[in-house]
Amino acid sequence: AYKQYTYDGDDDRGTWNGSQGGLGAPESDMAVPMGDDDDGGNSHSTTNVQESGVDEADFVKNDGGHIYVLNGNELAIIDAWPAEEMNEVSRLLIEGYTEELYLDGDTIAVLSNLYDEVAPMGGREANVRDHVTKVTVIDITDRADPQVTREVYVEGSLYDTRRVGERLYLITNRDLADNNIQDDVWGQNLDDDEVKERVEARPLEDWMPSRAINTRHGGEWTLTEDSVCGCTDIYRPARDGGLTMMSVLALDFTDPESEVTGTSIIAGTGEVYASPESLYLAVYEPDSGPFGGSPDSAGTRIHKFDLEGGPAHPVYQASGRVDGWTHDSFDMDEADGTFRIVTKNAASQYHRFL
């Protein structure tokens, strides 16, 4: 019945090979018992994850009694047990283009991308622009009447996510050159000093991605705005790695009053791996500059973020370089304080580093 329900959806999210991985996405083989009935009880499996203790997002989650699925720009909640009485109990419109969700007890966090003006609930205006990642936090205590309790807007495109316990880690990326600075310098035959002068004349807010948090208190909404992180929480590698700012933010999505903390590094995009203690970003690095060089001598720059410090974390901790490049996050692992990575070079030789 569930297969037929999702197949009959309104867009690609309801097909076998939709944009969110389709129903063929692997699931954990560890079933979680949810109680007994006359037919012997029901059970459910959870999203397949790489690392024990680190949850990963999906476009469908379930808790044994209900199924929560993103269908177009809506969250649908389905009463799934008993199976022969399966029925949809509610739908909730989500702002933006929905990507994935997390489930924790009676709370859901939906992640979406926005490319137009944002429209926070309560009628307030938020000063976030361009590509924006949104986290919509929803109280589903009453499955028939889900309620949005918090909206978090972050400038930058959604890149990846992980969840450890109640803390959601959000990784976004933003091109620092994408702030109309090109209009000031592109094609105007300026020398280096003139370009530098125009760049330095830009206010800080043109360079720093911002965030807005809209929180519900009873029937009222409170909107606060700030930068994604402070200037002292931004790190730059010693060598030129381009103008992409990767930001790692954390929030307790079960607590609508929790802080949203973060740190950023100016580096290229890459593979993300997380253990319960640390998060790693592995970025392909040519032998010279951010773009050029021979693949024979290319490597991987690894950036580590510490996740074990409570509200003040994540924080950037260290960077290092290894030869070769990674294929995906499954080339990385951490155990007993040791990080391990497997890379491949241009000659198809594999290397293992500890």
Side-chain angles (χ1 to χ4, degrees):
Y2 170 59
K3 293 179 181 178
Q4 188 60 44
Y5 172 83
T6 55
Y7 184 79
D8 289 340
D10 295 331
D11 68 353
D12 282 346
R13 299 179 197 282
T15 69
W16 290 100
N17 294 295
S19 61
Q20 299 302 309
L23 297 178
E27 294 183 320
S28 168
D29 57 4
M30 295 187 62
V32 181
M34 294 298 296
D36 297 324
D37 68 358
D38 294 338
D39 296 325
N42 66 330
S43 63
H44 74 283
S45 58
T46 58
T47 300
N48 187 42
V49 297
Q50 177 180 357
E51 189 72 38
S52 177
V54 181
D55 193 16
E56 299 181 28
D58 207 339
F59 83 106
V60 59
K61 296 279 189 179
N62 77 96
D63 57 15
H66 292 81
I67 296 171
Y68 312 91
V69 59
L70 297 177
N71 193 339
N73 61 344
E74 294 180 311
L75 169 68
I77 301 179
I78 303 138
D79 188 349
W81 193 260
E84 61 272 12
E85 298 177 14
M86 179 181 291
N87 67 98
E88 181 179 301
V89 296
S90 62
R91 275 183 179 253
L92 181 67
L93 185 66
I94 304 294
E95 183 183 16
Y97 296 87
T98 60
E99 298 290 341
E100 51 196 22
L101 64 88
Y102 284 95
L103 170 68
D104 188 331
D106 290 330
T107 306
I108 283 178
V110 176
L111 299 145
S112 58
N113 275 309
L114 289 80
Y115 303 102
D116 301 312
E117 292 184 2
V118 303
M121 301 185 75
R124 300 285 299 277
E125 293 186 2
N127 186 32
V128 289
R129 59 194 185 279
D130 303 323
H131 301 311
V132 174
T133 297
K134 182 183 180 185
V135 182
T136 304
V137 182
I138 305 160
D139 181 355
I140 56 167
T141 302
D142 182 353
R143 267 58 173 177
D145 186 26
Q147 296 291 319
V148 177
T149 58
R150 199 179 202 191
E151 300 173 303
V152 178
Y153 298 90
V154 179
E155 284 186 349
S157 299
L158 176 63
Y159 191 74
D160 212 337
T161 60
R162 294 293 190 275
R163 182 174 74 94
V164 180
E166 70 282 356
R167 293 182 71 78
L168 170 62
Y169 295 97
L170 181 70
I171 301 105
T172 64
N173 72 89
R174 182 172 185 260
D175 184 356
L176 293 181
D178 188 19
N179 60 4
N180 299 320
I181 188 64
Q182 300 98 321
D183 296 339
D184 283 351
V185 301
W186 192 261
Q188 298 192 39
N189 197 28
L190 303 175
D191 61 32
D192 289 348
D193 289 338
E194 290 173 315
V195 171
K196 182 178 180 180
E197 181 180 348
R198 295 197 181 191
V199 168
E200 291 181 344
R202 285 277 178 166
L204 181 61
E205 54 267 24
D206 278 1
W207 300 99
M208 290 286 290
S210 61
R211 62 164 171 79
I213 302 173
N214 197 30
T215 305
R216 184 175 185 173
H217 300 92
E220 301 293 329
W221 288 89
T222 303
L223 182 73
T224 60
E225 297 179 280
D226 203 349
S227 298
V228 164
C229 61
C231 291
T232 57
D233 294 315
I234 299 176
Y235 296 85
R236 179 181 65 85
R239 57 165 287 167
D240 186 3
L243 288 174
T244 299
M245 178 179 283
M246 302 294 293
S247 298
V248 182
L249 296 96
L251 67 146
D252 179 347
F253 73 91
T254 65
D255 178 7
E257 302 299 326
S258 65
E259 292 185 61
V260 178
T261 61
T263 188
S264 299
I265 186 167
I266 300 174
T269 57
E271 300 298 332
V272 174
Y273 164 78
S275 71
E277 298 81 24
S278 309
L279 185 143
Y280 296 87
L281 174 66
V283 181
Y284 175 82
E285 184 177 85
D287 59 354
S288 61
F291 311 113
S294 168
D296 293 337
S297 55
T300 297
R301 179 68 60 178
I302 304 165
H303 306 289
K304 179 181 179 180
F305 298 85
D306 181 20
L307 306 183
E308 283 193 303
H313 285 53
V315 296
Y316 167 78
Q317 193 166 53
S319 294
R321 187 183 189 275
V322 295
D323 294 334
W325 56 87
T326 61
H327 178 262
D328 55 31
S329 65
F330 287 89
D331 289 336
M332 294 177 276
D333 179 63
E334 185 180 58
D336 300 325
T338 300
F339 175 69
R340 301 173 289 193
I341 183 170
V342 175
T343 63
K344 177 183 177 181
N345 63 18
S348 296
Q349 296 172 324
Y350 288 88
H351 305 276
R352 184 177 67 178
F353 299 92
L354 302 179

